[in-house]
Each structure stands twice: as structure tokens, then as C-alpha cells.
């Protein structure tokens, strides 16, 4: 559609950060690597949550796979958010294995649909938890996360990767309803 402005209050951003802190397994001693420009919804949602947790934050000026790997190694980054294009660039970067990337514990994917194969490949390349989610500016921005729940049992790794590649469950404070074009609820899944 036509671009339009969205008014977000300080209270909205604060409540969003609280919802994310309560919904995601963040380490207050961790280091958040911001790889996405802060004007992007997948980029500007993380600084408030990371600040609320008291995390160290590191930003790259522009995304470059080699530079991101260097920053992970030098700053001992523990988490980062990626759009699928960035994830693919990191996976395709042949020099990745020359860096110590062992500090990374969580990668969040958003901004476009992920796939179970991408989740699997990132998880195997970085040996960390990889989760997708959904959001947009109007939801401040994160609305859902494919975070793991203790009440959900996965049949195998393939099933788990499939679940971690979808939008997931609402973050605390968010309500989600999936409807068709006539605003009728659609069946689950």
C-alpha cells in the first residue's frame, strides 16, 4: 500500500519492550549485535528491549558478512536479528569458519518469511537457537515469536525447525487474530 505514518507513544514502546523481555529468553549479560538499520521495524524494536535488559549493544554501519563475523568475534556478541537476505549472505560467506562465532546464542529472523531449511542451516552454522517472528511498525514492532515452549513437544528436529520458521505465538501484551479478506476467522494453521 501507500506508505503512511504511524504514531507510537513512549508508553507503546515501553510496553512493547516489557512484552519482549517477558517473552524472549534474553541474557542481561549478553551482547546484542544490531545488524539491521534502525529505521527498519526488525531493527528498531531491539534497542529498547536490550536497553531495558541492560545489555551491551553493538551496531554495524552497514551489513557485510565478513564485518558481522569480525564484530561477533571481537565483541563476543550473543544475539542478533537478521532478515532472510542477511542470513543467506552469512551462510554463503565462505570465510565464516575463520572467525570464532561461538559466543552467538540466539539469532532472530524477521522482515520476511523464513524456512525450516534456513533455520536448520543457521542453527548448524552458528550452533545456536534460531527463531523467527512477525511484526510491523504498527505493532511496535514485534507481535509474535516462534520461541520454544515447555508445553510443546516436537517429533524430531525437522518438526522443531518447521515450528521455529513460522510466526509463532504472540509476545506478552499482544493479541493475534488471523482472518480472511472478509474479516472471518480462518482455521488454525
Amino acid at each position: 500500500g501507500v506508505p503512511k505514518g504511524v504514531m507510537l507513544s513512549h508508553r507503546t514502546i515501553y510496553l512493547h519492550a516489557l512484552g519482549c523481555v517477558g517473552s524472549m529468553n534474553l541474557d542481561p549479560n549478553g551482547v546484542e549485535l544490531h545488524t539491521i538499520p534502525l529505521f527498519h521495524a526488525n531493527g528498531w524494536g531491539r534497542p529498547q528491549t536490550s536497553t531495558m535488559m541492560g545489555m551491551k549493544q553493538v551496531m554495524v554501519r552497514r551489513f557485510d558478512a565478513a564485518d558481522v563475523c569480525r564484530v561477533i568475534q571481537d565483541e563476543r556478541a550473543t544475539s542478533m536479528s537478521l532478515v532472510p537476505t542477511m542470513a543467506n549472505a552469512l551462510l554463503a560467506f565462505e570465510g565464516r569458519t575463520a572467525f570464532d562465532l561461538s559466543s552467538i546464542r540466539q539469532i532472530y529472523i524477521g522482515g520476511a518469511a523464513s524456512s525450516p531449511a534456513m533455520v536448520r542451516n543457521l542453527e548448524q552454522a552458528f550452533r545456536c537457537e534460531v527463531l523467527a517472528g512477525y511484526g510491523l511498525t504498527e505493532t511496535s514492532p514485534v507481535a509474535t515469536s516462534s520461541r520454544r515452549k515447555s508445553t510443546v513437544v516436537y517429533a524430531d528436529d525437522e518438526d522443531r525447525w518447521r515450528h521455529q520458521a513460522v510466526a509463532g505465538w504472540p509476545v506478552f501484551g499482544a493479541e493475534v487474530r488471523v482472518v480472511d479478506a472478509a474479516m472471518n476467522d480462518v482455521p488454525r494453521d
Side-chain angles (χ1 to χ4, degrees):
V2 176
K4 48 202 142 307
V6 176
M7 181 67 73
L8 298 174
S9 68
H10 180 270
R11 182 175 188 272
T12 300
I13 301 300
Y14 173 76
L15 290 174
H16 169 265
L18 276 178
C20 287
V21 165
S23 300
M24 298 178 183
N25 186 20
L26 298 174
D27 178 2
N29 298 310
V31 178
E32 177 72 23
L33 173 57
H34 298 286
T35 61
I36 301 171
L38 298 185
F39 64 78
H40 188 282
N42 196 10
W44 67 257
R46 296 290 293 185
Q48 294 84 8
T49 304
S50 301
T51 299
M52 186 174 281
M53 291 295 293
M55 296 173 72
K56 177 181 176 180
Q57 299 176 64
V58 180
M59 298 182 186
V60 294
R61 199 173 260 308
R62 66 175 190 83
F63 183 86
D64 173 78
D67 190 41
V68 167
C69 290
R70 182 194 55 75
V71 172
I72 292 170
Q73 176 179 278
D74 293 351
E75 299 291 340
R76 306 302 299 153
T78 57
S79 58
M80 65 180 166
S81 295
L82 301 170
V83 297
T85 305
M86 293 173 170
N88 284 328
L90 282 172
L91 290 170
F93 175 51
E94 293 180 6
R96 184 182 71 244
T97 57
F99 295 90
D100 178 3
L101 307 175
S102 62
S103 61
I104 287 287
R105 293 190 293 261
Q106 293 177 321
I107 296 175
Y108 300 94
I109 304 173
S114 184
S115 69
M118 179 178 289
V119 171
R120 178 195 66 226
N121 294 342
L122 283 169
E123 193 175 276
Q124 291 173 348
F126 288 88
R127 306 209 185 299
C128 70
E129 179 179 51
V130 179
L131 303 170
Y134 176 78
L136 60 156
T137 300
E138 294 85 344
T139 58
S140 299
V142 179
T144 67
S145 167
S146 67
R147 66 197 180 278
R148 297 182 199 172
K149 288 187 170 189
S150 62
T151 56
V152 177
V153 178
Y154 304 109
D156 54 24
D157 282 340
E158 295 292 331
D159 184 43
R160 181 175 56 78
W161 292 323
R162 185 176 62 79
H163 279 87
Q164 287 171 217
V166 299
W169 294 276
V171 297
F172 296 141
E175 292 181 18
V176 175
R177 180 175 167 219
V178 183
V179 297
D180 62 20
M183 296 301 289
N184 298 309
D185 291 325
V186 298
R188 181 183 163 98
D189 291 334

